[in-house]
Amino acid sequence: MSRGLALAVCLAATPVWGDALWHDGDATLYGYGQSLGVRSDSPLNPGNQFAQIPATTWTGEARLNLGAGVGDWSLHLRPIARIDHRSAGDLIRREGYLSQAELRWQISDAVGISGGRDLLTWGPAQFRSPSNPFYFDAGRSDPMRELSGLDDVKATWSPDFRAQVLLARIVGSGHFEPIDRQNSWLLKGEYRADDWTVGWVAARRDRHPAFWGGYGQITVSDAVLLYAEFGSGARQQALQSPDNPLLPFSVATDAPRRSDWLIGGSYSFLSGETLTLEWLHQGSGFSASAYRAFFARLHNQNPSAPLALAHLPGLLGRDYLHLVAQSAPGDDDLYWRAMGSVDATHGGGAATLYLDENLDGRWGVFGLGQLPLGGGDSEFKLLYDRLLLAGMKLAL
Amino acid sequence: MFKSFVGAPSSARLLVAVGAASSARLLVAVGAPSSATSNQLVGAASSPRFIVPPSACLSLPLTPTLSTYGGKGIWRGLIQALVLLIALITTAPAQAEPGTATPDPHDILIHSDRARGGGLPGIEWEIQLQAREHGRDLEPQRLLVQANSEASVAQTLEPVRFKGSRLLQIGRNMWLTKPGLSKPIPISPRQRLSGQAANGDIAATDYAGDYDAVLVGQEEVNGTPCWILDLTAKGVNTTYAKIRYWVDRTRLVGVKAEFFALGGKPLKSAVFEYHNAIAFEGEHIPFVSRMTITDALSDDVTVMAYGAVTVKEIPPSIFDLGRMR
């Protein structure tokens, strides 16, 4: 099935667009600068010779939301235009793409089909989403880079407002680099009762092992929310770190099946602030010996280090604690969010603070600081030892 | 001919039928034709209800004839009739006054809920939300709300920096999403919308389904005679544990409310105005146009103005989390 199939299927029955009226649209302009404390002594990227990470980046970005509809048809586009200047090589890079683009035909109140580029995300977890085979880290490793959709054709059935079943064929990986699960089938169901929600996920890429996942959440009281996610699958391109540090890195195709799970809970104070705690177990992470061998191999200047950089997983270890404190999302002025992540097995972690101040309803300023913690062999400090970002935004 | 006092709730209307013929009789029956079967009339007392068979209705001769009573019998008959009338009036004075019958509090809630979006197949409205906290006006918000009795989606139209943000509520499950966010975030009901407005305040009201009601008295609110209801949450799935609710006796709409936490601690109070109207099942129903919420412990005030009200069924796909981006 070709990558363009998603759009072609829906365009085949497109109504006369002369009748369509753009009925919705907004845009936000961003301008920000980012400073990274790139480690010259990084064991993974010594002297910054492999990754060539810019220490300073200036970025201008426009994010648009456009929507149109006629009858049972609707179109949603989210184009993004971006230009950045990177200190490494004095490079200016321009980029324009559709982060999301979905054409939808609502056949009846209960049934709809759509095609295009769509965000396939779900579940209550914030740190990582084990029930999702497509976006394990849900795009949170880059706080300013917006998550982009996957190219798909999708059918949804909503027999009532509580239940939904979704069947999708993922035909492409969207704007960014290919992912493991392109050319996959996805079947997902969700049921929402009065104070709990459950969902299950099945995905399979052609001729590869299936992925199974699920999630659930329960509103215990007005203030307390508990939730969990799990997933079981086999990574199709998994970086291997043999226990013997003299052996090189390798990449396994169709690695053994592993399970990941996350449990979490949040408490909201009367003032609206919320405290969230999550525990992630990543069965696909390195064992303690493989983790030690990973760094030993890097320190030995193993020639396979570039391979490790190219296939570096989102997280190396197996158990993580994640803490979030944030103000109420609807607060009028300052929104703040403080996050802390800790590798529970090997130590090390990262502390992050995000601030967003509303100036006059349209103008706002924001800033982000991140401080990786731990010694030189902390995975959070693999590439840089501080991150500072500050900018302005304008809502149109 | 029948005359119905509109001021009384439907479950407690006073019906008076006056015959025009010479043998006219005064037939007094207290009941509710709308909820009665063809041969029964429903008594108007407070719970428990009782059924009054037609034979129990008073049937009094107004024009006694000589052939009936004769001589002293005429006077005796008249005296008997007067005694019966006096007894009737003195034993049931509340039923005789329009609007003072003691109705079923659950019925009052069903009526008053409809004026705030409950008990309808679905509703769409716009809310202008303006809050004042700590002596300072917060940024106004404009929301488009689509709701049925158990679920709602509120989409932010203004301010422009929040445009496209959506709040989905199904029972006590709530999610928040906005453009650019990777996925909807589950939130707890305690997280406030803006000012004193809880997330539950923007959805359709279903007090009849969510609360047990007891009629505790009558009182005038700004010159309007009201029933006073004490509402206690049936379960934990409600925004407030207890509510004291003043319902206009004539229009059967809630005009004032006081909200309490589980331990009885007062949280806030609200007054309601009804300058909107909707058509539903052939009736024109007054509909809420403004809700003014005042914090119990401070001077913080939030005003929610309701407009562009449309009664319509909301398709289930509207509540699809996957479409909320």
Side-chain angles (χ1 to χ4, degrees):
Chain A
M1 196 179 283
S2 73
R3 175 176 292 204
L5 178 66
L7 207 54
V9 166
C10 288
L11 286 174
T14 302
V16 180
W17 286 103
D19 295 340
L21 292 173
W22 289 102
H23 62 79
D24 199 12
D26 60 79
T28 307
L29 306 180
Y30 293 82
Y32 55 91
Q34 175 177 292
S35 169
L36 269 177
V38 182
R39 280 185 64 190
S40 58
D41 61 345
S42 162
L44 187 62
N45 182 35
N48 199 17
Q49 58 179 315
F50 300 133
Q52 297 185 344
I53 302 168
T56 308
T57 307
W58 296 98
T59 303
E61 190 170 347
R63 300 176 184 173
L64 284 75
N65 260 325
L66 304 171
V70 55
D72 300 324
W73 290 81
S74 62
L75 178 68
H76 171 235
L77 301 174
R78 185 156 174 84
I80 291 181
R82 177 180 174 125
I83 181 169
D84 55 35
H85 175 267
R86 301 176 170 209
S87 59
D90 196 19
L91 186 69
I92 291 179
R93 197 177 63 162
R94 294 176 180 83
E95 190 178 20
Y97 61 98
L98 286 172
S99 178
Q100 297 172 54
E102 186 184 48
L103 180 64
R104 181 179 179 86
W105 178 28
Q106 192 67 38
I107 299 170
S108 69
D109 280 354
V111 178
I113 61 172
S114 61
R117 185 165 292 171
D118 184 24
L119 276 181
L120 292 171
T121 54
W122 51 77
Q126 297 189 29
F127 182 46
R128 297 292 190 275
S129 187
S131 69
N132 193 318
F134 308 116
Y135 303 99
F136 181 71
D137 66 357
R140 293 183 187 281
S141 57
D142 182 347
M144 290 309 295
R145 168 72 83 167
E146 185 173 305
L147 198 63
S148 180
L150 302 176
D151 297 334
D152 69 355
V153 180
K154 187 171 74 174
T156 53
W157 176 50
S158 307
D160 58 42
F161 68 91
R162 294 190 184 278
Q164 192 204 51
V165 177
L166 177 158
L167 176 66
R169 173 70 177 172
I170 290 92
V171 297
S173 53
H175 173 65
F176 295 111
E177 67 276 6
I179 57 165
D180 277 355
R181 297 282 170 174
Q182 64 179 345
N183 299 322
S184 297
W185 287 100
L186 165 69
L187 182 63
K188 184 175 93 70
E190 186 173 273
Y191 183 80
R192 298 166 294 186
D194 272 350
D195 48 16
W196 53 266
T197 295
V198 292
W200 52 266
V201 179
R204 180 164 194 169
R205 190 180 178 193
D206 300 340
R207 298 182 302 280
H208 292 285
F211 172 91
W212 305 99
Y215 55 89
Q217 67 183 63
I218 180 166
T219 304
V220 179
S221 71
D222 260 16
V224 178
L225 184 72
L226 299 177
Y227 51 85
E229 288 195 29
F230 77 94
S232 171
R235 289 188 183 176
Q236 284 155 35
Q237 287 196 325
L239 181 69
Q240 302 294 300
S241 173
D243 288 353
N244 182 350
L246 299 176
L247 295 175
F249 288 112
S250 62
V251 174
T253 54
D254 282 338
R257 174 175 292 275
R258 293 282 185 263
S259 296
D260 306 329
W261 51 262
L262 178 146
I263 54 173
S266 69
Y267 181 86
S268 293
F269 297 90
L270 275 174
S271 53
E273 281 97 12
T274 301
L275 204 59
T276 303
L277 192 63
E278 295 182 342
W279 180 275
L280 171 72
H281 174 76
Q282 186 183 224
S284 52
F286 289 151
S287 66
S289 55
Y291 190 95
R292 283 193 298 272
F294 175 87
F295 283 97
R297 194 173 290 109
L298 292 180
H299 288 303
N300 292 340
Q301 298 183 337
N302 193 296
S304 62
L307 188 69
L309 183 63
H311 292 88
L312 194 66
L315 291 169
L316 294 179
R318 290 199 170 167
D319 293 289
Y320 294 86
L321 186 67
H322 185 64
L323 180 70
V324 181
Q326 65 175 331
S327 62
D331 268 2
D332 210 38
D333 294 323
L334 178 68
Y335 168 75
W336 57 266
R337 180 180 171 91
M339 294 166 280
S341 306
V342 176
D343 179 341
T345 309
H346 309 98
T352 307
L353 177 66
Y354 176 75
L355 302 171
D356 193 326
E357 171 82 13
N358 167 42
L359 297 180
D360 73 344
R362 288 187 182 274
W363 287 94
V365 293
F366 58 92
L368 180 122
Q370 188 177 74
L371 193 62
L373 306 170
D377 282 358
S378 160
E379 67 171 291
F380 293 92
K381 257 189 176 173
L382 265 176
L383 298 172
Y384 60 89
D385 53 19
R386 63 168 170 76
L387 183 157
L388 285 172
L389 185 149
M392 294 191 74
K393 60 183 177 179
L394 172 65
L396 301 173
Chain B
M1 107 182 64
F2 286 88
K3 188 176 178 184
S4 171
F5 291 92
V6 180
S10 62
S11 62
R13 286 182 179 170
L14 177 69
L15 299 182
V16 179
V18 181
S22 60
S23 60
R25 291 161 181 263
L26 175 66
L27 186 141
V28 179
V30 181
S34 61
S35 58
T37 57
S38 58
N39 59 352
Q40 287 180 322
L41 295 171
V42 180
S46 58
S47 301
R49 293 181 177 187
F50 59 87
I51 304 300
V52 183
S55 58
C57 294
L58 292 172
S59 180
L60 306 174
L62 287 183
T63 53
T65 61
L66 288 174
S67 63
T68 307
Y69 297 105
K72 291 178 182 175
I74 293 174
W75 292 107
R76 197 163 69 185
L78 280 171
I79 291 167
Q80 283 176 339
L82 278 170
V83 167
L84 277 170
L85 271 172
I86 291 165
L88 174 68
I89 291 166
T90 54
T91 54
Q95 285 89 334
E97 286 294 322
T100 58
T102 312
D104 184 336
H106 184 73
D107 287 343
I108 296 177
L109 283 186
I110 289 173
H111 278 84
S112 57
D113 280 349
R114 286 200 310 186
R116 293 177 58 197
L120 302 171
I123 195 151
E124 182 178 294
W125 59 30
E126 269 191 36
I127 298 178
Q128 297 267 6
L129 201 152
Q130 176 68 65
R132 185 171 179 80
E133 276 192 340
H134 312 303
R136 194 170 63 93
D137 288 333
L138 302 185
E139 195 171 19
Q141 290 191 22
R142 190 163 64 93
L143 309 170
L144 175 67
V145 179
Q146 296 172 295
N148 63 27
S149 58
E150 295 166 282
S152 66
V153 177
Q155 181 183 349
T156 305
L157 305 176
E158 291 175 356
V160 68
R161 69 192 174 99
F162 287 149
K163 189 175 179 186
S165 300
R166 286 176 169 87
L167 178 73
L168 170 66
Q169 166 260 327
I170 294 178
R172 263 198 331 164
N173 290 308
M174 290 183 185
W175 293 266
L176 177 73
T177 187
K178 46 188 169 184
L181 211 59
S182 58
K183 63 178 182 178
I185 308 168
I187 61 173
S188 70
R190 182 176 274 187
Q191 290 194 356
R192 293 178 306 168
L193 188 68
S194 177
Q196 298 303 311
N199 294 329
D201 291 328
I202 59 168
T205 302
D206 185 23
Y207 288 170
D210 293 340
Y211 293 88
D212 289 319
V214 177
L215 185 57
V216 294
Q218 303 176 37
E219 190 176 71
E220 286 196 356
V221 176
N222 294 328
T224 303
C226 291
W227 303 114
I228 307 174
L229 302 178
D230 271 356
L231 312 184
T232 305
K234 290 177 179 174
V236 293
N237 297 343
T238 54
T239 308
Y240 309 105
K242 288 179 183 296
I243 301 173
R244 174 157 280 199
Y245 201 31
W246 285 259
V247 179
D248 182 332
R249 274 175 18 199
T250 305
R251 296 190 298 162
L252 291 179
V253 296
V255 296
K256 180 181 164 185
E258 290 176 353
F259 304 97
F260 300 89
L262 195 58
K265 177 188 171 188
L267 297 172
K268 55 194 180 188
S269 62
V271 292
F272 306 88
E273 297 172 33
Y274 295 85
H275 301 304
N276 289 322
I278 56 169
F280 178 61
E281 292 182 343
E283 280 187 74
H284 284 278
I285 302 169
F287 202 83
V288 66
S289 57
R290 180 177 288 253
M291 177 179 182
T292 304
I293 308 170
T294 306
D295 184 50
L297 302 175
S298 70
D299 294 332
D300 295 347
V301 175
T302 300
V303 177
M304 300 168 73
Y306 301 79
V309 183
T310 311
V311 177
K312 66 176 187 183
E313 202 158 327
I314 308 297
S317 58
I318 294 293
F319 304 104
D320 175 5
L321 269 175
R323 293 185 65 187
M324 287 180 53
R325 301 191 177 94

